[in-house]
Amino acid sequence: IKSALARRHPYKHWLTTHLERLHELPCAPFADTPLEADTLFERQQLYGFTHEDIELVLRPILTENREPVWSMGDDTPPAAYSRQSRAFADYFRQRFAQVTNPPIDPLREQIVMSLDCYLGPRQSLLTETPLHASLLHLESPVLTEAQLETVRTLNKHGFLARTLHTTFESAAGPGALEQALNSLDAQAARAVDDGIGLLILSDREASATAPPIPMLLAVASVHRALIRGGLRTRISLVCETGSAWDVHQVALLLGYGAEAVVPFMALASVRALAGERRLEHLSREEAIEIYMHVIEHGLRKVMARMGISTMRNIIGAGQFEVVGLAPELVERCFASSPAHFGTLTLPIIAEHIIERVSHLPELAGGSRVEGEAATGRRRRLTDIGRIRFRRDAEYHAYNPLIIRALQKAAQSGSEEDYEQFTHLVYQRPTTALRDTLTFAPRMPIPVEQVEPLEDIRARFVVSAMSLGALSPETHKAIAVAMNSIGGRNNTGEGGEDPDWYAETVNGIPVSSKIKQVASARFGVTTEYLVRAEELEIKMAQGSKPGEGGQLPPSKVTPFIAKLRHTAPNVSLISPPPHHDIYSIEDLAQLIYDLHQVNPRARVGVKLVSTIGVGTIAAGVAKAHADYVLISGYDGGTGASPLQSIKHAGMSWESGLAEAQQVLMRNGLRGRVKVRVDGGLKTGRDVIVAALLGAEEFGFGTAALVSLGCDMARQC
């Protein structure tokens, strides 16, 4: 059958004759002369770069040859709540697979992943002709300026290119943005009618008086307009943009319709960094090569997180959750995505852009800017403190005032000190979804009728933090503390020292009651499992859903290596999926096996909040788990790629509410306990979680801070 199908048409001849491969074409000339420092600085301001984007994103990419790694999770407000001017990409969260369509392991299963994509008009799926092979093959959707020039000047049948400029006139006011988008949509439709096969959306000509439209907005609007007109398959979209420099931003452009991206301002910034401190050994060409490699590796991670193996399945698929955009904006540009609606509209976006560029001098053809720049003094881009805490910048839920107040309350045990801590928490600006909720008044009841203190404390757990991420002393201190009050703590995925099973401190056991079973099975032995009161299967982690944990070589001491059954001083990266769980039936099998090895232990499953988590929670209940844990994006982590911390997962409030409702509607709520964690600090957090359906409550970062962690975020 295969032979008959292969001989139906001369496919090889068609490909040889009609398919163009970008890497085989002569590269168009492009002068990569670096911009003058002053011009570069002004252009970075124009496109929205911040100091952190240069120093904590681009520079680490070049120094470490990988995505920047951060720790302790995201404790800043979502973009919809922020008082700072945030990038438009921050209103989108990456989706991820858990249980039923598991994530892919991009390190160990890279052979099944492909970044290949094609440019050019697509022919009918119902026929086979030589023109079906008339496409331009790209090995990667991320292109350099020289590669774009090659594409732009190809000028063969089906590859005629046209450039549309994605800017608007700031002097015309906020309404000019929508008018510019309408004009782009109309120009794109005319380009199809004119036989154009490649449409290049470019903001390279942007200036202070004609600022750039957020490229994500432009490409999504054109993509949806062409779909509505039945024209999308007749043209390819390429973005030439200065407003994309990290993995998340590039992935968004691809996810909403771009088939290739040229991040020219990021490339210019990377060239400028080459030769600076700690990068003296890099040439400009080597810096570009490293940057492209890291972005491509990051795109594979984004795809793997969703369980998708080819780039062609990402393009235009809208595999993100929209948070905070007005319904009419979502309907126009992002209708393919699940959305948590907000109030951000096109006029508001335009106002933010106009305000940002209003202080910039007009840029005239790359000439030097007069004034402070002419003095030769090095200036800093705005630092909004989105990654690191900065005074008078973005609010952090764990800022120095909060940390000191919590540590003081923990050390003194004073009710007054605790009230000072909670006062700081309750007076904060809106930082989490629960901050927008208030309690409905009810008739108070006598405190004697309230559940006893001992029963309440039994509902508390300290969330999973592995031995290796934490020191042995810290791990034992947490276990002793929780065991002493009738609570529980979780080993995390690093296993536990067998010597601790019989060890006590003042008669209190130092062994953790909850033993975690994670994807790498570090430290999971029969003895480990039978020593547990609870066994937790970790399907995902709030601060890095769709990824496994990682431990750098310096932390893999001989002691840790012995517990994890590996060699010391070796980097340990857990696989994103459990390689024996590819369906809810596989999960049910593992739950059954754990019940067999330890019949006395409760078995639970850890999930991360996202749209659809309720359905997965129902499957977990049907798989005979004893509890399900809904974890929020703001949970801590010892180490995770920065883009995972900042752009994946949702608040536990939304996931918990959905899980509660789905379990109730399916008559399953009585079969499982529901637990929650992710940034819990105070009694009010616990009550909100209880009202939304939780019965048990996990604390992680708060426990570490109480023990003395100062949140340097350099774990």
Side-chain angles (χ1 to χ4, degrees):
I1 291 172
K2 289 172 67 177
S3 297
L5 291 174
R7 289 196 296 266
R8 179 183 292 175
H9 293 293
Y11 297 113
K12 184 175 182 180
H13 175 69
W14 290 357
L15 291 172
T16 303
T17 305
H18 297 285
L19 183 67
E20 298 283 0
R21 299 182 185 275
L22 182 60
H23 72 276
E24 295 177 353
L25 297 175
C27 199
F30 174 78
D32 65 345
T33 306
L35 297 176
E36 290 186 8
D38 300 315
T39 303
L40 177 65
F41 178 79
E42 298 295 345
R43 303 295 292 180
Q44 288 171 337
Q45 285 185 304
L46 177 66
Y47 291 107
F49 280 73
T50 68
H51 179 72
E52 290 182 325
D53 294 323
I54 302 297
E55 296 301 325
L56 299 182
V57 177
L58 295 183
R59 190 181 294 276
I61 283 176
L62 299 183
T63 55
E64 301 173 20
N65 197 12
R66 65 174 185 178
E67 292 179 77
V69 175
W70 206 243
S71 60
M72 295 314 296
D74 186 10
D75 62 346
T76 58
Y81 295 155
S82 176
R83 297 182 178 184
Q84 302 291 324
S85 178
R86 296 278 285 271
F88 188 60
D90 289 350
Y91 290 86
F92 297 79
R93 308 290 296 186
Q94 295 173 20
R95 303 204 70 189
F96 53 90
Q98 50 184 345
V99 184
T100 48
N101 174 40
I104 298 170
D105 187 339
L107 291 177
R108 302 164 183 88
E109 299 175 322
Q110 188 171 332
I111 192 172
V112 306
M113 305 196 73
S114 168
L115 294 180
D116 291 32
C117 48
Y118 297 85
L119 300 181
R122 304 308 200 270
Q123 306 300 317
S124 170
L125 290 173
L126 303 179
T127 60
E128 289 185 327
T129 69
L131 285 179
H132 280 70
S134 183
L135 297 169
L136 177 62
H137 170 260
L138 309 179
E139 293 182 331
S140 165
V142 187
L143 306 180
T144 64
E145 301 97 332
Q147 289 173 316
L148 176 62
E149 287 305 308
T150 303
V151 172
R152 186 179 264 138
T153 57
L154 196 55
N155 287 331
K156 290 190 176 182
H157 177 69
F159 297 116
L160 296 176
R162 178 176 293 177
T163 300
L164 301 183
H165 298 293
T166 58
T167 60
F168 70 101
E169 294 299 323
S170 58
L177 176 57
E178 186 168 8
Q179 295 172 10
L181 287 177
N182 292 338
S183 176
L184 278 175
D185 295 348
Q187 291 179 69
R190 285 198 297 271
V192 176
D193 293 337
D194 294 342
I196 299 299
L198 297 174
L199 193 62
I200 301 170
L201 302 179
S202 174
D203 56 22
R204 185 180 282 275
E205 301 301 317
S207 65
T209 55
I213 299 171
M215 185 54 75
L216 176 58
L217 202 54
V219 72
S221 180
V222 170
H223 175 69
R224 296 297 303 176
L226 291 173
I227 288 175
R228 288 191 292 267
L231 305 172
R232 184 61 183 91
T233 58
R234 293 167 57 184
I235 198 165
S236 286
L237 298 180
V238 177
C239 292
E240 182 186 27
T241 179
S243 59
W245 50 85
D246 66 21
V247 170
H248 179 65
Q249 292 164 335
V250 173
L252 279 168
L253 292 174
L254 297 168
Y256 287 106
E259 288 150 274
V261 178
V262 184
F264 68 85
M265 204 63 229
L267 299 177
S269 301
V270 165
R271 290 189 187 99
L273 287 172
E276 288 193 4
R277 60 182 174 87
R278 293 192 296 167
L279 297 172
E280 299 87 353
H281 59 288
L282 284 183
S283 67
R284 293 198 299 272
E285 294 75 16
E286 290 170 333
I288 294 297
E289 185 177 342
I290 291 172
Y291 173 78
M292 300 287 277
H293 167 75
V294 171
I295 295 297
E296 289 166 2
H297 178 70
L299 289 175
R300 287 191 184 91
K301 276 197 165 185
V302 174
M303 293 159 52
R305 178 177 287 117
M306 302 178 195
I308 296 173
S309 59
T310 62
M311 177 56 65
R312 283 166 287 171
N313 293 107
I314 290 290
I315 293 173
Q319 289 280 12
F320 298 86
E321 289 187 49
V322 183
V323 185
L325 303 190
E328 60 271 21
L329 180 53
V330 173
E331 177 62 27
R332 172 175 180 152
C333 300
F334 310 105
S336 59
S337 298
H340 309 262
F341 294 123
T343 59
L344 190 71
T345 60
L346 288 175
I348 295 175
I349 295 171
E351 287 175 2
H352 290 168
I353 296 171
I354 293 170
E355 168 63 23
R356 175 165 57 80
V357 302
S358 63
H359 308 295
L360 300 180
E362 178 60 30
L363 303 175
S367 62
R368 286 183 63 86
V369 180
E370 299 298 328
E372 183 184 350
T375 66
R377 290 183 299 185
R378 184 182 180 90
R379 296 169 297 174
R380 279 168 56 103
L381 294 163
T382 302
D383 190 344
I384 67 170
R386 178 172 160 268
I387 300 174
R388 300 173 301 182
F389 172 78
R390 288 291 178 264
R391 190 173 300 170
D392 300 324
E394 186 66 275
Y395 180 82
H396 284 254
Y398 277 104
N399 59 64
L401 288 177
I402 292 281
I403 291 170
R404 286 196 292 269
L406 177 53
Q407 290 176 347
K408 183 179 179 183
Q411 291 163 7
S412 70
S414 163
E415 187 172 338
E416 180 182 353
D417 289 341
Y418 177 74
E419 288 179 354
Q420 289 179 355
F421 161 68
T422 57
H423 176 76
L424 289 173
V425 175
Y426 299 152
Q427 296 303 311
R428 71 186 184 185
T430 303
T431 304
L433 184 56
R434 58 187 174 275
D435 295 340
T436 66
L437 304 176
T438 57
F439 295 132
R442 291 288 186 271
M443 184 65 68
I445 62 171
V447 72
E448 292 77 20
Q449 296 180 23
V450 175
E451 193 172 35
L453 180 65
E454 293 74 19
D455 292 350
I456 292 174
R457 293 193 305 203
R459 299 175 181 271
F460 293 163
V461 303
V462 168
S463 302
M465 293 179 282
S466 66
L467 187 57
L470 303 186
S471 67
E473 295 81 3
T474 303
H475 221 280
K476 291 167 74 172
I478 291 172
V480 170
M482 295 308 291
N483 290 339
S484 70
I485 65 170
R488 286 149 291 161
N489 77 293
N490 194 318
T491 59
E493 66 170 313
E496 191 173 50
D497 188 351
D499 293 341
W500 295 0
Y501 296 149
E503 187 177 339
T504 62
V505 172
N506 298 326
I508 301 169
V510 301
S511 179
S512 303
K513 292 180 180 178
I514 307 172
K515 310 283 198 263
Q516 191 173 80
V517 178
S519 59
R521 303 292 202 266
F522 286 130
V524 176
T525 63
T526 302
E527 184 181 18
Y528 172 82
L529 297 175
V530 299
R531 296 285 185 170
E533 292 185 11
E534 291 181 4
L535 296 171
E536 181 175 283
I537 303 168
K538 184 180 85 168
M539 299 306 304
Q541 184 176 340
S543 57
K544 48 188 169 188
E547 287 190 64
Q550 54 181 292
L551 205 60
S554 60
K555 284 199 167 190
V556 187
T557 63
F559 172 68
I560 298 302
K562 185 183 84 168
L563 300 185
R564 298 192 177 210
H565 303 283
T566 184
N569 301 312
V570 173
S571 179
L572 300 179
I573 301 179
S574 309
H578 290 251
H579 282 297
D580 54 355
I581 299 178
Y582 289 89
S583 67
I584 197 70
E585 291 79 14
D586 291 339
L587 178 60
Q589 181 65 54
L590 180 57
I591 292 171
Y592 175 83
D593 292 343
L594 293 178
H595 276 305
Q596 296 308 301
V597 77
N598 187 345
R600 298 182 306 277
R602 300 166 69 211
V603 177
V605 178
K606 181 176 182 178
L607 305 173
V608 172
S609 176
T610 184
I611 282 183
V613 73
T615 301
I616 302 172
V620 168
K622 291 178 182 179
H624 300 289
D626 298 293
Y627 73 85
V628 59
L629 166 58
I630 305 296
S631 190
Y633 76 92
D634 44 357
T637 177
S640 172
L642 184 58
Q643 62 107 7
S644 300
I645 291 175
K646 290 293 184 181
H647 301 298
M650 289 297 300
S651 65
W652 58 256
E653 294 94 328
S654 57
L656 174 61
E658 180 184 333
Q660 166 76 4
Q661 293 165 35
V662 172
L663 290 170
M664 290 290 290
R665 283 198 299 268
N666 286 275
L668 298 168
R669 186 61 184 85
R671 290 175 57 168
V672 290
K673 297 281 188 182
V674 176
R675 184 178 296 172
V676 69
D677 70 13
L680 298 180
K681 288 186 181 67
T682 67
R684 184 185 189 277
D685 293 343
V686 170
I687 296 300
V688 170
L691 291 171
L692 293 176
E695 299 161 88
E696 299 173 343
F697 315 92
F699 299 83
T701 304
L704 285 188
V705 171
S706 299
L707 282 169
C709 170
D710 287 328
M711 295 286 284
R713 301 178 193 271
Q714 295 178 345
C715 305

